[in-house]
Amino acid sequence: MTDLGIDHDARLPYYEQLKQLIVREIARDNLEPGHLMPSEAEMCARYGVSRTVVRQAVGELVNERVLQRMRGKGTFVAKPKLSEQFMESTVGFFEDMTSHGHSVSSSVLSIDRVEVVGRARELIGAAPGTHCIEIVRLRAVNDEVVAFTKSYIARDDEAILTQLRAADLATVSLYRILSDQFGLRIDTGHRSIEAVAASGMLTKLLEVGPGDPLLYIESVARNAAGDVIECFLAWHRADRMRIEMDVVRDSRSSAGVDSLSHG
């Protein structure tokens, strides 16, 4: 991998030296994201270190997002994570990603009138038996699948359903369509996020392994009057996405105290 080797007389642990060698190699040879790295056995032979050393070095570089493991394929130079603005914004996923220069596309799996149940009914605050429009999509950024989403338009309107089915939701923002065509403008909202493990159909849809980490997001969007326009449930690949947010002083803060803690 490089003509430099492990200094067995140095006080720096072998795994830390190996980490530095790998990072130096990536920079020196301008290795692109997606470049396949040598196997554990190859690194052991090349540097005269044990598998334990290699695994610790590579594991820490994976945690630091320098490298990326792909189940059954090997270890690669990591791609930079896509950033989604989480707070202080009413734009949707499409507008957020395209504003940062990314190409966004969606595979629309279904658009139907459904009885809203479970968590979606709780988020909308709908009575039992209420119907709405459900849009199920697989979202891709720069031709790579990153999220599976279920959006619920809090309207039981056949005209809206018909026009949404005719719209190009594969390449156009849902929020823009709701605003421009139906006057359903989103002014405020609330989002929450938690870590979950991939299982069932999500592993196939998102091309991840069972137990791999996902970012699960719930969102409720409202108009100026406070009426729910839309809510969504989304599962994002944690290895490809990160959430960014701005922190502001809370008006409830006492003088000289910022409400930035977890308390």
Side-chain angles (χ1 to χ4, degrees), residues 62-63 65 68-69 71 81 145-147 193-199 202-203 206-217 234-242:
V62 169
N63 291 336
R65 312 301 182 189
Q68 177 185 17
R69 286 195 183 103
R71 194 182 301 270
K81 283 195 172 185
V145 172
V146 297
I193 180 171
E194 63 182 291
V196 299
S199 63
L202 288 174
T203 61
L206 296 177
E207 302 174 5
V208 297
D212 282 356
L214 301 177
L215 300 176
Y216 171 65
I217 299 174
W235 293 262
H236 292 248
R237 284 181 51 167
D239 64 328
R240 295 300 300 121
M241 298 292 296
R242 70 180 180 186

PDB file of all heavy atoms in Angstrom, residues 62-63 65 68-69 71 81 145-147 193-199 202-203 206-217 234-242:
ATOM      1  N   VAL A  62     -13.140   3.574   9.998  1.00  0.00           N
ATOM      2  CA  VAL A  62     -14.547   3.480   9.598  1.00  0.00           C
ATOM      3  C   VAL A  62     -15.392   4.386  10.490  1.00  0.00           C
ATOM      4  O   VAL A  62     -16.253   5.128  10.008  1.00  0.00           O
ATOM      5  CB  VAL A  62     -15.041   2.018   9.677  1.00  0.00           C
ATOM      6  CG1 VAL A  62     -16.574   1.961   9.533  1.00  0.00           C
ATOM      7  CG2 VAL A  62     -14.387   1.173   8.591  1.00  0.00           C
ATOM      8  N   ASN A  63     -15.131   4.342  11.798  1.00  0.00           N
ATOM      9  CA  ASN A  63     -15.873   5.206  12.725  1.00  0.00           C
ATOM     10  C   ASN A  63     -15.624   6.680  12.456  1.00  0.00           C
ATOM     11  O   ASN A  63     -16.502   7.521  12.680  1.00  0.00           O
ATOM     12  CB  ASN A  63     -15.492   4.879  14.169  1.00  0.00           C
ATOM     13  CG  ASN A  63     -15.994   3.520  14.617  1.00  0.00           C
ATOM     14  OD1 ASN A  63     -16.967   2.996  14.071  1.00  0.00           O
ATOM     15  ND2 ASN A  63     -15.335   2.939  15.602  1.00  0.00           N
ATOM     16  N   ARG A  65     -15.153   7.885   9.530  1.00  0.00           N
ATOM     17  CA  ARG A  65     -15.683   8.145   8.189  1.00  0.00           C
ATOM     18  C   ARG A  65     -14.600   8.320   7.134  1.00  0.00           C
ATOM     19  O   ARG A  65     -14.837   8.927   6.084  1.00  0.00           O
ATOM     20  CB  ARG A  65     -16.605   9.383   8.176  1.00  0.00           C
ATOM     21  CG  ARG A  65     -17.644   9.410   9.289  1.00  0.00           C
ATOM     22  CD  ARG A  65     -18.557   8.223   9.251  1.00  0.00           C
ATOM     23  NE  ARG A  65     -19.572   8.287  10.285  1.00  0.00           N
ATOM     24  CZ  ARG A  65     -20.403   7.282  10.589  1.00  0.00           C
ATOM     25  NH1 ARG A  65     -20.309   6.147   9.929  1.00  0.00           N
ATOM     26  NH2 ARG A  65     -21.303   7.425  11.543  1.00  0.00           N
ATOM     27  N   GLN A  68     -15.067   2.965   4.584  1.00  0.00           N
ATOM     28  CA  GLN A  68     -16.436   2.454   4.635  1.00  0.00           C
ATOM     29  C   GLN A  68     -16.420   0.972   4.336  1.00  0.00           C
ATOM     30  O   GLN A  68     -15.832   0.530   3.344  1.00  0.00           O
ATOM     31  CB  GLN A  68     -17.314   3.180   3.619  1.00  0.00           C
ATOM     32  CG  GLN A  68     -18.747   2.671   3.547  1.00  0.00           C
ATOM     33  CD  GLN A  68     -19.535   3.351   2.446  1.00  0.00           C
ATOM     34  OE1 GLN A  68     -18.967   3.962   1.550  1.00  0.00           O
ATOM     35  NE2 GLN A  68     -20.855   3.245   2.502  1.00  0.00           N
ATOM     36  N   ARG A  69     -17.037   0.182   5.208  1.00  0.00           N
ATOM     37  CA  ARG A  69     -17.160  -1.255   4.970  1.00  0.00           C
ATOM     38  C   ARG A  69     -18.465  -1.531   4.227  1.00  0.00           C
ATOM     39  O   ARG A  69     -19.504  -0.952   4.534  1.00  0.00           O
ATOM     40  CB  ARG A  69     -17.170  -2.029   6.284  1.00  0.00           C
ATOM     41  CG  ARG A  69     -15.831  -2.145   6.974  1.00  0.00           C
ATOM     42  CD  ARG A  69     -15.891  -3.237   8.043  1.00  0.00           C
ATOM     43  NE  ARG A  69     -14.641  -3.340   8.792  1.00  0.00           N
ATOM     44  CZ  ARG A  69     -14.459  -2.860  10.005  1.00  0.00           C
ATOM     45  NH1 ARG A  69     -15.444  -2.215  10.605  1.00  0.00           N
ATOM     46  NH2 ARG A  69     -13.317  -3.011  10.633  1.00  0.00           N
ATOM     47  N   ARG A  71     -20.732  -4.884   3.318  1.00  0.00           N
ATOM     48  CA  ARG A  71     -20.867  -6.289   3.631  1.00  0.00           C
ATOM     49  C   ARG A  71     -20.660  -7.168   2.398  1.00  0.00           C
ATOM     50  O   ARG A  71     -21.317  -7.003   1.374  1.00  0.00           O
ATOM     51  CB  ARG A  71     -22.252  -6.547   4.224  1.00  0.00           C
ATOM     52  CG  ARG A  71     -22.417  -7.898   4.899  1.00  0.00           C
ATOM     53  CD  ARG A  71     -23.852  -8.030   5.396  1.00  0.00           C
ATOM     54  NE  ARG A  71     -24.180  -6.963   6.327  1.00  0.00           N
ATOM     55  CZ  ARG A  71     -23.999  -7.055   7.642  1.00  0.00           C
ATOM     56  NH1 ARG A  71     -23.478  -8.147   8.174  1.00  0.00           N
ATOM     57  NH2 ARG A  71     -24.341  -6.047   8.433  1.00  0.00           N
ATOM     58  N   LYS A  81     -20.489  12.091   3.596  1.00  0.00           N
ATOM     59  CA  LYS A  81     -21.912  11.952   3.887  1.00  0.00           C
ATOM     60  C   LYS A  81     -22.704  13.129   3.317  1.00  0.00           C
ATOM     61  O   LYS A  81     -22.218  14.251   3.240  1.00  0.00           O
ATOM     62  CB  LYS A  81     -22.142  11.865   5.393  1.00  0.00           C
ATOM     63  CG  LYS A  81     -21.801  10.513   5.985  1.00  0.00           C
ATOM     64  CD  LYS A  81     -22.401  10.387   7.366  1.00  0.00           C
ATOM     65  CE  LYS A  81     -22.240   8.977   7.891  1.00  0.00           C
ATOM     66  NZ  LYS A  81     -22.934   8.805   9.191  1.00  0.00           N
ATOM     67  N   VAL A 145     -29.295   5.024  -3.684  1.00  0.00           N
ATOM     68  CA  VAL A 145     -30.459   4.965  -2.803  1.00  0.00           C
ATOM     69  C   VAL A 145     -30.043   5.335  -1.382  1.00  0.00           C
ATOM     70  O   VAL A 145     -29.094   4.772  -0.836  1.00  0.00           O
ATOM     71  CB  VAL A 145     -31.079   3.559  -2.815  1.00  0.00           C
ATOM     72  CG1 VAL A 145     -32.177   3.454  -1.755  1.00  0.00           C
ATOM     73  CG2 VAL A 145     -31.651   3.244  -4.194  1.00  0.00           C
ATOM     74  N   VAL A 146     -30.751   6.292  -0.779  1.00  0.00           N
ATOM     75  CA  VAL A 146     -30.401   6.742   0.574  1.00  0.00           C
ATOM     76  C   VAL A 146     -31.574   6.728   1.542  1.00  0.00           C
ATOM     77  O   VAL A 146     -31.369   6.777   2.754  1.00  0.00           O
ATOM     78  CB  VAL A 146     -29.783   8.155   0.559  1.00  0.00           C
ATOM     79  CG1 VAL A 146     -28.484   8.169  -0.222  1.00  0.00           C
ATOM     80  CG2 VAL A 146     -30.762   9.191   0.011  1.00  0.00           C
ATOM     81  N   ALA A 147     -32.820   6.641   1.050  1.00  0.00           N
ATOM     82  CA  ALA A 147     -33.949   6.751   1.978  1.00  0.00           C
ATOM     83  C   ALA A 147     -35.202   6.091   1.425  1.00  0.00           C
ATOM     84  O   ALA A 147     -35.429   6.038   0.207  1.00  0.00           O
ATOM     85  CB  ALA A 147     -34.244   8.213   2.297  1.00  0.00           C
ATOM     86  N   ILE A 193     -36.013  12.621  15.314  1.00  0.00           N
ATOM     87  CA  ILE A 193     -35.107  11.644  14.738  1.00  0.00           C
ATOM     88  C   ILE A 193     -34.660  10.669  15.808  1.00  0.00           C
ATOM     89  O   ILE A 193     -34.496  11.035  16.965  1.00  0.00           O
ATOM     90  CB  ILE A 193     -33.875  12.343  14.101  1.00  0.00           C
ATOM     91  CG1 ILE A 193     -32.925  11.320  13.494  1.00  0.00           C
ATOM     92  CG2 ILE A 193     -33.141  13.203  15.112  1.00  0.00           C
ATOM     93  CD1 ILE A 193     -31.813  11.943  12.678  1.00  0.00           C
ATOM     94  N   GLU A 194     -34.498   9.416  15.411  1.00  0.00           N
ATOM     95  CA  GLU A 194     -33.947   8.420  16.321  1.00  0.00           C
ATOM     96  C   GLU A 194     -33.200   7.366  15.504  1.00  0.00           C
ATOM     97  O   GLU A 194     -33.399   7.241  14.296  1.00  0.00           O
ATOM     98  CB  GLU A 194     -35.046   7.761  17.155  1.00  0.00           C
ATOM     99  CG  GLU A 194     -36.077   6.982  16.362  1.00  0.00           C
ATOM    100  CD  GLU A 194     -37.156   6.391  17.245  1.00  0.00           C
ATOM    101  OE1 GLU A 194     -36.821   5.458  18.016  1.00  0.00           O
ATOM    102  OE2 GLU A 194     -38.307   6.850  17.184  1.00  0.00           O
ATOM    103  N   ALA A 195     -32.339   6.640  16.180  1.00  0.00           N
ATOM    104  CA  ALA A 195     -31.568   5.579  15.530  1.00  0.00           C
ATOM    105  C   ALA A 195     -32.341   4.266  15.640  1.00  0.00           C
ATOM    106  O   ALA A 195     -32.862   3.937  16.701  1.00  0.00           O
ATOM    107  CB  ALA A 195     -30.204   5.444  16.192  1.00  0.00           C
ATOM    108  N   VAL A 196     -32.429   3.542  14.532  1.00  0.00           N
ATOM    109  CA  VAL A 196     -33.072   2.230  14.521  1.00  0.00           C
ATOM    110  C   VAL A 196     -32.192   1.271  13.734  1.00  0.00           C
ATOM    111  O   VAL A 196     -31.304   1.684  12.983  1.00  0.00           O
ATOM    112  CB  VAL A 196     -34.481   2.291  13.895  1.00  0.00           C
ATOM    113  CG1 VAL A 196     -35.391   3.221  14.688  1.00  0.00           C
ATOM    114  CG2 VAL A 196     -34.417   2.735  12.436  1.00  0.00           C
ATOM    115  N   ALA A 197     -32.451  -0.023  13.911  1.00  0.00           N
ATOM    116  CA  ALA A 197     -31.699  -1.052  13.190  1.00  0.00           C
ATOM    117  C   ALA A 197     -32.495  -1.514  11.976  1.00  0.00           C
ATOM    118  O   ALA A 197     -33.720  -1.688  12.038  1.00  0.00           O
ATOM    119  CB  ALA A 197     -31.407  -2.230  14.108  1.00  0.00           C
ATOM    120  N   ALA A 198     -31.823  -1.705  10.872  1.00  0.00           N
ATOM    121  CA  ALA A 198     -32.474  -2.159   9.644  1.00  0.00           C
ATOM    122  C   ALA A 198     -32.964  -3.592   9.804  1.00  0.00           C
ATOM    123  O   ALA A 198     -32.287  -4.435  10.391  1.00  0.00           O
ATOM    124  CB  ALA A 198     -31.509  -2.068   8.471  1.00  0.00           C
ATOM    125  N   SER A 199     -34.156  -3.847   9.279  1.00  0.00           N
ATOM    126  CA  SER A 199     -34.702  -5.201   9.321  1.00  0.00           C
ATOM    127  C   SER A 199     -35.734  -5.343   8.217  1.00  0.00           C
ATOM    128  O   SER A 199     -36.153  -4.356   7.603  1.00  0.00           O
ATOM    129  CB  SER A 199     -35.351  -5.493  10.684  1.00  0.00           C
ATOM    130  OG  SER A 199     -36.449  -4.617  10.908  1.00  0.00           O
ATOM    131  N   LEU A 202     -36.682  -3.281   4.671  1.00  0.00           N
ATOM    132  CA  LEU A 202     -35.781  -2.130   4.602  1.00  0.00           C
ATOM    133  C   LEU A 202     -34.375  -2.542   4.173  1.00  0.00           C
ATOM    134  O   LEU A 202     -33.672  -1.776   3.517  1.00  0.00           O
ATOM    135  CB  LEU A 202     -35.724  -1.411   5.951  1.00  0.00           C
ATOM    136  CG  LEU A 202     -36.975  -0.625   6.344  1.00  0.00           C
ATOM    137  CD1 LEU A 202     -36.831  -0.092   7.763  1.00  0.00           C
ATOM    138  CD2 LEU A 202     -37.246   0.515   5.374  1.00  0.00           C
ATOM    139  N   THR A 203     -33.953  -3.739   4.547  1.00  0.00           N
ATOM    140  CA  THR A 203     -32.602  -4.180   4.163  1.00  0.00           C
ATOM    141  C   THR A 203     -32.489  -4.307   2.648  1.00  0.00           C
ATOM    142  O   THR A 203     -31.453  -3.965   2.073  1.00  0.00           O
ATOM    143  CB  THR A 203     -32.251  -5.513   4.840  1.00  0.00           C
ATOM    144  OG1 THR A 203     -33.183  -6.525   4.427  1.00  0.00           O
ATOM    145  CG2 THR A 203     -32.294  -5.384   6.354  1.00  0.00           C
ATOM    146  N   LEU A 206     -33.072  -0.538   0.931  1.00  0.00           N
ATOM    147  CA  LEU A 206     -31.965   0.399   1.141  1.00  0.00           C
ATOM    148  C   LEU A 206     -30.597  -0.234   0.907  1.00  0.00           C
ATOM    149  O   LEU A 206     -29.576   0.431   1.074  1.00  0.00           O
ATOM    150  CB  LEU A 206     -32.044   0.973   2.560  1.00  0.00           C
ATOM    151  CG  LEU A 206     -33.288   1.819   2.851  1.00  0.00           C
ATOM    152  CD1 LEU A 206     -33.303   2.272   4.309  1.00  0.00           C
ATOM    153  CD2 LEU A 206     -33.345   3.029   1.928  1.00  0.00           C
ATOM    154  N   GLU A 207     -30.594  -1.513   0.551  1.00  0.00           N
ATOM    155  CA  GLU A 207     -29.346  -2.215   0.222  1.00  0.00           C
ATOM    156  C   GLU A 207     -28.363  -2.198   1.390  1.00  0.00           C
ATOM    157  O   GLU A 207     -27.191  -1.850   1.248  1.00  0.00           O
ATOM    158  CB  GLU A 207     -28.712  -1.618  -1.039  1.00  0.00           C
ATOM    159  CG  GLU A 207     -29.633  -1.676  -2.252  1.00  0.00           C
ATOM    160  CD  GLU A 207     -29.065  -0.957  -3.468  1.00  0.00           C
ATOM    161  OE1 GLU A 207     -27.912  -0.492  -3.397  1.00  0.00           O
ATOM    162  OE2 GLU A 207     -29.769  -0.867  -4.482  1.00  0.00           O
ATOM    163  N   VAL A 208     -28.878  -2.561   2.568  1.00  0.00           N
ATOM    164  CA  VAL A 208     -28.060  -2.639   3.779  1.00  0.00           C
ATOM    165  C   VAL A 208     -28.253  -4.008   4.401  1.00  0.00           C
ATOM    166  O   VAL A 208     -29.119  -4.784   3.988  1.00  0.00           O
ATOM    167  CB  VAL A 208     -28.434  -1.535   4.794  1.00  0.00           C
ATOM    168  CG1 VAL A 208     -28.155  -0.162   4.224  1.00  0.00           C
ATOM    169  CG2 VAL A 208     -29.904  -1.659   5.203  1.00  0.00           C
ATOM    170  N   GLY A 209     -27.447  -4.317   5.425  1.00  0.00           N
ATOM    171  CA  GLY A 209     -27.546  -5.594   6.088  1.00  0.00           C
ATOM    172  C   GLY A 209     -28.461  -5.544   7.295  1.00  0.00           C
ATOM    173  O   GLY A 209     -28.709  -4.470   7.853  1.00  0.00           O
ATOM    174  N   PRO A 210     -28.974  -6.675   7.743  1.00  0.00           N
ATOM    175  CA  PRO A 210     -29.793  -6.726   8.954  1.00  0.00           C
ATOM    176  C   PRO A 210     -29.023  -6.153  10.144  1.00  0.00           C
ATOM    177  O   PRO A 210     -27.872  -6.517  10.369  1.00  0.00           O
ATOM    178  CB  PRO A 210     -30.076  -8.220   9.135  1.00  0.00           C
ATOM    179  CG  PRO A 210     -29.915  -8.809   7.768  1.00  0.00           C
ATOM    180  CD  PRO A 210     -28.820  -8.010   7.119  1.00  0.00           C
ATOM    181  N   GLY A 211     -29.661  -5.262  10.875  1.00  0.00           N
ATOM    182  CA  GLY A 211     -29.010  -4.657  12.029  1.00  0.00           C
ATOM    183  C   GLY A 211     -28.187  -3.427  11.723  1.00  0.00           C
ATOM    184  O   GLY A 211     -27.735  -2.739  12.646  1.00  0.00           O
ATOM    185  N   ASP A 212     -27.984  -3.102  10.443  1.00  0.00           N
ATOM    186  CA  ASP A 212     -27.233  -1.890  10.112  1.00  0.00           C
ATOM    187  C   ASP A 212     -28.008  -0.655  10.596  1.00  0.00           C
ATOM    188  O   ASP A 212     -29.239  -0.646  10.604  1.00  0.00           O
ATOM    189  CB  ASP A 212     -27.006  -1.787   8.593  1.00  0.00           C
ATOM    190  CG  ASP A 212     -25.896  -2.699   8.111  1.00  0.00           C
ATOM    191  OD1 ASP A 212     -25.257  -3.343   8.966  1.00  0.00           O
ATOM    192  OD2 ASP A 212     -25.672  -2.768   6.897  1.00  0.00           O
ATOM    193  N   PRO A 213     -27.304   0.406  10.984  1.00  0.00           N
ATOM    194  CA  PRO A 213     -27.985   1.580  11.540  1.00  0.00           C
ATOM    195  C   PRO A 213     -28.705   2.415  10.484  1.00  0.00           C
ATOM    196  O   PRO A 213     -28.194   2.632   9.391  1.00  0.00           O
ATOM    197  CB  PRO A 213     -26.843   2.381  12.183  1.00  0.00           C
ATOM    198  CG  PRO A 213     -25.628   1.992  11.383  1.00  0.00           C
ATOM    199  CD  PRO A 213     -25.837   0.549  11.022  1.00  0.00           C
ATOM    200  N   LEU A 214     -29.907   2.862  10.853  1.00  0.00           N
ATOM    201  CA  LEU A 214     -30.684   3.760  10.021  1.00  0.00           C
ATOM    202  C   LEU A 214     -31.095   4.962  10.861  1.00  0.00           C
ATOM    203  O   LEU A 214     -31.178   4.872  12.088  1.00  0.00           O
ATOM    204  CB  LEU A 214     -31.957   3.073   9.499  1.00  0.00           C
ATOM    205  CG  LEU A 214     -31.796   1.807   8.664  1.00  0.00           C
ATOM    206  CD1 LEU A 214     -33.169   1.247   8.318  1.00  0.00           C
ATOM    207  CD2 LEU A 214     -30.995   2.067   7.398  1.00  0.00           C
ATOM    208  N   LEU A 215     -31.337   6.083  10.198  1.00  0.00           N
ATOM    209  CA  LEU A 215     -31.882   7.266  10.851  1.00  0.00           C
ATOM    210  C   LEU A 215     -33.373   7.312  10.537  1.00  0.00           C
ATOM    211  O   LEU A 215     -33.763   7.436   9.372  1.00  0.00           O
ATOM    212  CB  LEU A 215     -31.199   8.538  10.341  1.00  0.00           C
ATOM    213  CG  LEU A 215     -29.688   8.628  10.558  1.00  0.00           C
ATOM    214  CD1 LEU A 215     -29.142   9.900   9.914  1.00  0.00           C
ATOM    215  CD2 LEU A 215     -29.347   8.602  12.032  1.00  0.00           C
ATOM    216  N   TYR A 216     -34.203   7.171  11.563  1.00  0.00           N
ATOM    217  CA  TYR A 216     -35.650   7.197  11.385  1.00  0.00           C
ATOM    218  C   TYR A 216     -36.160   8.590  11.731  1.00  0.00           C
ATOM    219  O   TYR A 216     -35.903   9.108  12.820  1.00  0.00           O
ATOM    220  CB  TYR A 216     -36.309   6.157  12.286  1.00  0.00           C
ATOM    221  CG  TYR A 216     -37.818   6.251  12.324  1.00  0.00           C
ATOM    222  CD1 TYR A 216     -38.578   6.009  11.184  1.00  0.00           C
ATOM    223  CD2 TYR A 216     -38.472   6.575  13.510  1.00  0.00           C
ATOM    224  CE1 TYR A 216     -39.965   6.101  11.220  1.00  0.00           C
ATOM    225  CE2 TYR A 216     -39.856   6.673  13.559  1.00  0.00           C
ATOM    226  CZ  TYR A 216     -40.600   6.428  12.409  1.00  0.00           C
ATOM    227  OH  TYR A 216     -41.961   6.522  12.460  1.00  0.00           O
ATOM    228  N   ILE A 217     -36.858   9.212  10.785  1.00  0.00           N
ATOM    229  CA  ILE A 217     -37.330  10.586  10.955  1.00  0.00           C
ATOM    230  C   ILE A 217     -38.846  10.637  10.826  1.00  0.00           C
ATOM    231  O   ILE A 217     -39.427  10.030   9.921  1.00  0.00           O
ATOM    232  CB  ILE A 217     -36.692  11.515   9.903  1.00  0.00           C
ATOM    233  CG1 ILE A 217     -35.177  11.529  10.063  1.00  0.00           C
ATOM    234  CG2 ILE A 217     -37.249  12.933  10.026  1.00  0.00           C
ATOM    235  CD1 ILE A 217     -34.455  12.309   8.991  1.00  0.00           C
ATOM    236  N   ALA A 234     -39.708   8.421   7.550  1.00  0.00           N
ATOM    237  CA  ALA A 234     -38.587   8.182   6.632  1.00  0.00           C
ATOM    238  C   ALA A 234     -37.479   7.405   7.319  1.00  0.00           C
ATOM    239  O   ALA A 234     -37.187   7.614   8.490  1.00  0.00           O
ATOM    240  CB  ALA A 234     -38.048   9.518   6.109  1.00  0.00           C
ATOM    241  N   TRP A 235     -36.894   6.500   6.552  1.00  0.00           N
ATOM    242  CA  TRP A 235     -35.761   5.717   7.030  1.00  0.00           C
ATOM    243  C   TRP A 235     -34.561   6.020   6.134  1.00  0.00           C
ATOM    244  O   TRP A 235     -34.584   5.731   4.938  1.00  0.00           O
ATOM    245  CB  TRP A 235     -36.086   4.225   6.975  1.00  0.00           C
ATOM    246  CG  TRP A 235     -37.157   3.797   7.940  1.00  0.00           C
ATOM    247  CD1 TRP A 235     -36.983   3.222   9.162  1.00  0.00           C
ATOM    248  CD2 TRP A 235     -38.585   3.909   7.756  1.00  0.00           C
ATOM    249  NE1 TRP A 235     -38.200   2.972   9.754  1.00  0.00           N
ATOM    250  CE2 TRP A 235     -39.195   3.381   8.920  1.00  0.00           C
ATOM    251  CE3 TRP A 235     -39.395   4.407   6.729  1.00  0.00           C
ATOM    252  CZ2 TRP A 235     -40.580   3.341   9.075  1.00  0.00           C
ATOM    253  CZ3 TRP A 235     -40.768   4.365   6.879  1.00  0.00           C
ATOM    254  CH2 TRP A 235     -41.350   3.836   8.045  1.00  0.00           C
ATOM    255  N   HIS A 236     -33.531   6.630   6.697  1.00  0.00           N
ATOM    256  CA  HIS A 236     -32.340   7.030   5.943  1.00  0.00           C
ATOM    257  C   HIS A 236     -31.160   6.119   6.271  1.00  0.00           C
ATOM    258  O   HIS A 236     -30.984   5.724   7.434  1.00  0.00           O
ATOM    259  CB  HIS A 236     -31.939   8.472   6.294  1.00  0.00           C
ATOM    260  CG  HIS A 236     -32.906   9.508   5.841  1.00  0.00           C
ATOM    261  ND1 HIS A 236     -32.613  10.416   4.859  1.00  0.00           N
ATOM    262  CD2 HIS A 236     -34.178   9.788   6.227  1.00  0.00           C
ATOM    263  CE1 HIS A 236     -33.653  11.217   4.663  1.00  0.00           C
ATOM    264  NE2 HIS A 236     -34.605  10.861   5.492  1.00  0.00           N
ATOM    265  N   ARG A 237     -30.351   5.842   5.289  1.00  0.00           N
ATOM    266  CA  ARG A 237     -29.118   5.091   5.529  1.00  0.00           C
ATOM    267  C   ARG A 237     -28.159   5.954   6.355  1.00  0.00           C
ATOM    268  O   ARG A 237     -27.738   7.024   5.919  1.00  0.00           O
ATOM    269  CB  ARG A 237     -28.463   4.717   4.202  1.00  0.00           C
ATOM    270  CG  ARG A 237     -29.140   3.566   3.492  1.00  0.00           C
ATOM    271  CD  ARG A 237     -28.446   3.208   2.196  1.00  0.00           C
ATOM    272  NE  ARG A 237     -27.007   3.017   2.352  1.00  0.00           N
ATOM    273  CZ  ARG A 237     -26.228   2.468   1.429  1.00  0.00           C
ATOM    274  NH1 ARG A 237     -26.761   2.058   0.287  1.00  0.00           N
ATOM    275  NH2 ARG A 237     -24.944   2.345   1.616  1.00  0.00           N
ATOM    276  N   ALA A 238     -27.811   5.461   7.533  1.00  0.00           N
ATOM    277  CA  ALA A 238     -26.944   6.237   8.422  1.00  0.00           C
ATOM    278  C   ALA A 238     -25.525   6.343   7.891  1.00  0.00           C
ATOM    279  O   ALA A 238     -24.787   7.259   8.254  1.00  0.00           O
ATOM    280  CB  ALA A 238     -26.931   5.617   9.820  1.00  0.00           C
ATOM    281  N   ASP A 239     -25.125   5.416   7.029  1.00  0.00           N
ATOM    282  CA  ASP A 239     -23.772   5.478   6.478  1.00  0.00           C
ATOM    283  C   ASP A 239     -23.657   6.476   5.336  1.00  0.00           C
ATOM    284  O   ASP A 239     -22.559   6.789   4.894  1.00  0.00           O
ATOM    285  CB  ASP A 239     -23.315   4.093   5.999  1.00  0.00           C
ATOM    286  CG  ASP A 239     -24.147   3.566   4.840  1.00  0.00           C
ATOM    287  OD1 ASP A 239     -25.353   3.892   4.777  1.00  0.00           O
ATOM    288  OD2 ASP A 239     -23.604   2.813   4.007  1.00  0.00           O
ATOM    289  N   ARG A 240     -24.808   6.997   4.848  1.00  0.00           N
ATOM    290  CA  ARG A 240     -24.771   7.925   3.727  1.00  0.00           C
ATOM    291  C   ARG A 240     -25.350   9.299   4.063  1.00  0.00           C
ATOM    292  O   ARG A 240     -25.242  10.225   3.267  1.00  0.00           O
ATOM    293  CB  ARG A 240     -25.549   7.346   2.528  1.00  0.00           C
ATOM    294  CG  ARG A 240     -24.943   6.102   1.952  1.00  0.00           C
ATOM    295  CD  ARG A 240     -23.506   6.316   1.442  1.00  0.00           C
ATOM    296  NE  ARG A 240     -23.461   7.327   0.400  1.00  0.00           N
ATOM    297  CZ  ARG A 240     -22.750   8.440   0.479  1.00  0.00           C
ATOM    298  NH1 ARG A 240     -22.037   8.720   1.559  1.00  0.00           N
ATOM    299  NH2 ARG A 240     -22.749   9.300  -0.502  1.00  0.00           N
ATOM    300  N   MET A 241     -26.008   9.425   5.218  1.00  0.00           N
ATOM    301  CA  MET A 241     -26.649  10.677   5.557  1.00  0.00           C
ATOM    302  C   MET A 241     -26.211  11.151   6.937  1.00  0.00           C
ATOM    303  O   MET A 241     -25.921  10.354   7.825  1.00  0.00           O
ATOM    304  CB  MET A 241     -28.179  10.508   5.575  1.00  0.00           C
ATOM    305  CG  MET A 241     -28.790  10.112   4.251  1.00  0.00           C
ATOM    306  SD  MET A 241     -28.702  11.405   2.990  1.00  0.00           S
ATOM    307  CE  MET A 241     -29.719  12.688   3.728  1.00  0.00           C
ATOM    308  N   ARG A 242     -26.183  12.457   7.105  1.00  0.00           N
ATOM    309  CA  ARG A 242     -26.027  13.043   8.422  1.00  0.00           C
ATOM    310  C   ARG A 242     -27.001  14.214   8.526  1.00  0.00           C
ATOM    311  O   ARG A 242     -27.397  14.797   7.519  1.00  0.00           O
ATOM    312  CB  ARG A 242     -24.589  13.510   8.672  1.00  0.00           C
ATOM    313  CG  ARG A 242     -24.167  14.727   7.861  1.00  0.00           C
ATOM    314  CD  ARG A 242     -22.732  15.119   8.181  1.00  0.00           C
ATOM    315  NE  ARG A 242     -22.326  16.274   7.405  1.00  0.00           N
ATOM    316  CZ  ARG A 242     -21.076  16.763   7.407  1.00  0.00           C
ATOM    317  NH1 ARG A 242     -20.162  16.174   8.149  1.00  0.00           N
ATOM    318  NH2 ARG A 242     -20.779  17.809   6.680  1.00  0.00           N
TER     319      ARG A 242
END
